[in-house]
Amino acid sequence: DGGITQSPKYLFRKEGQNVTLSCEQNLNHDAMYWYRQDPGQGLRLIYYSQIVNDFQKGDIAEGYSVSREKKESFPLTVTSAQKNPTAFYLCASSILGVDQPQHFGDGTRLSIL
Amino acid sequence: SQKIEQNSEALNIQEGKTATLTCNYTNYSPAYLQWYRQDPGRGPVFLLLIRENEKEKRKERLKVTFDTTLKQSLFHITASQPADSATYLCALDPADDMRFGAGTRLTVKP
């Protein structure tokens, strides 16, 4: 079954720690995305990547970092510089093209201890 | 500034009625618009895409309209069922990245 997998489902971070959220897809999609979702707000784009070893900042990239070493994988690191990291994080992938729908994982909920 | 506004945070309707959700946008000129469904604790799931030259699109009990003059899309669910209860998001893509509205939470009561 093709899909996009995020892990873990729940994650807790201590002050000053970096944490990494995993995102893997077996849909053979070139494009991958990370969004942050807060209550009452739309999804906000953190980073996106259209090809291996290349990625672009979205609207709220500060305090986050990504890598794209393999087509299937697009991990997100929430660094200690992100002062308000508590949120629901969603990873998505799509075929390249401006009208292509995005396929989402089931998210990781990050909380601060 | 650019905005995507979905008409209300929550909409409650009776089973069997038609639900109508609104998506308005400001300072965008999208060539197309998408609608997604999101269940609690899950990622959004793509439902429909409508292009600027398509005034209306249907899929089973779903219908979407797109009025580029009004800068508005309407999303209809006919013969609604309790299983249709979810949050519905509209999205448009001005460039390489997608922009989402905050969503409307629909509750269909039996």
Side-chain angles (χ1 to χ4, degrees), chain B residues 15-36:
Chain B
E15 183 176 8
K17 300 293 185 185
T18 296
T20 298
L21 286 64
T22 305
C23 177
N24 296 297
Y25 57 92
T26 309
N27 293 327
Y28 287 109
S29 298
Y32 66 92
L33 192 143
Q34 300 184 14
W35 283 89
Y36 290 77

Side-chain angles (χ1 to χ4, degrees), chain B residues 81-92:
Chain B
Q81 305 166 0
D84 294 326
S85 298
T87 296
Y88 292 86
L89 310 172
C90 67
L92 49 89

Side-chain angles (χ1 to χ4, degrees), chain B residues 10-72:
Chain B
L11 179 64
N12 298 316
I13 64 167
Q14 209 63 37
E15 183 176 8
K17 300 293 185 185
T18 296
T20 298
L21 286 64
T22 305
C23 177
N24 296 297
Y25 57 92
T26 309
N27 293 327
Y28 287 109
S29 298
Y32 66 92
L33 192 143
Q34 300 184 14
W35 283 89
Y36 290 77
R37 169 185 172 138
Q38 186 175 23
D39 291 289
R42 306 292 299 272
V45 174
F46 171 75
L47 295 174
L48 279 169
L49 178 149
I50 185 166
R51 293 182 170 81
E52 60 179 342
N53 60 351
E54 296 175 318
K55 297 302 179 189
E56 179 180 300
K57 197 140 186 199
R58 293 175 185 261
K59 178 183 176 183
E60 297 172 352
R61 293 184 296 111
L62 309 180
K63 184 178 87 170
V64 173
T65 63
F66 192 12
D67 189 326
T68 55
T69 301
L70 291 178
K71 296 187 180 295
Q72 181 181 80

Side-chain angles (χ1 to χ4, degrees), chain A residues 21-89:
Chain A
L21 284 60
S22 170
C23 178
E24 303 276 333
Q25 54 99 359
N26 61 2
L27 298 167
N28 200 33
H29 288 167
D30 287 301
M32 295 188 75
Y33 311 83
W34 273 106
Y35 294 92
R36 170 180 172 139
Q37 188 174 35
D38 294 285
Q41 296 193 38
L43 278 66
R44 290 184 290 167
L45 183 66
I46 304 172
Y47 271 98
Y48 66 101
S49 167
Q50 295 182 324
I51 193 169
V52 172
N53 292 323
D54 189 43
F55 44 83
Q56 284 74 44
K57 292 182 179 180
D59 295 327
I60 57 165
E62 186 175 348
Y64 300 97
S65 66
V66 293
S67 63
R68 186 90 186 273
E69 296 176 3
K70 298 187 298 182
K71 186 175 182 178
E72 302 80 18
S73 178
F74 191 41
L76 173 75
T77 297
V78 183
T79 75
S80 57
Q82 171 49 244
K83 297 307 177 190
N84 184 24
T86 297
F88 189 48
Y89 291 88

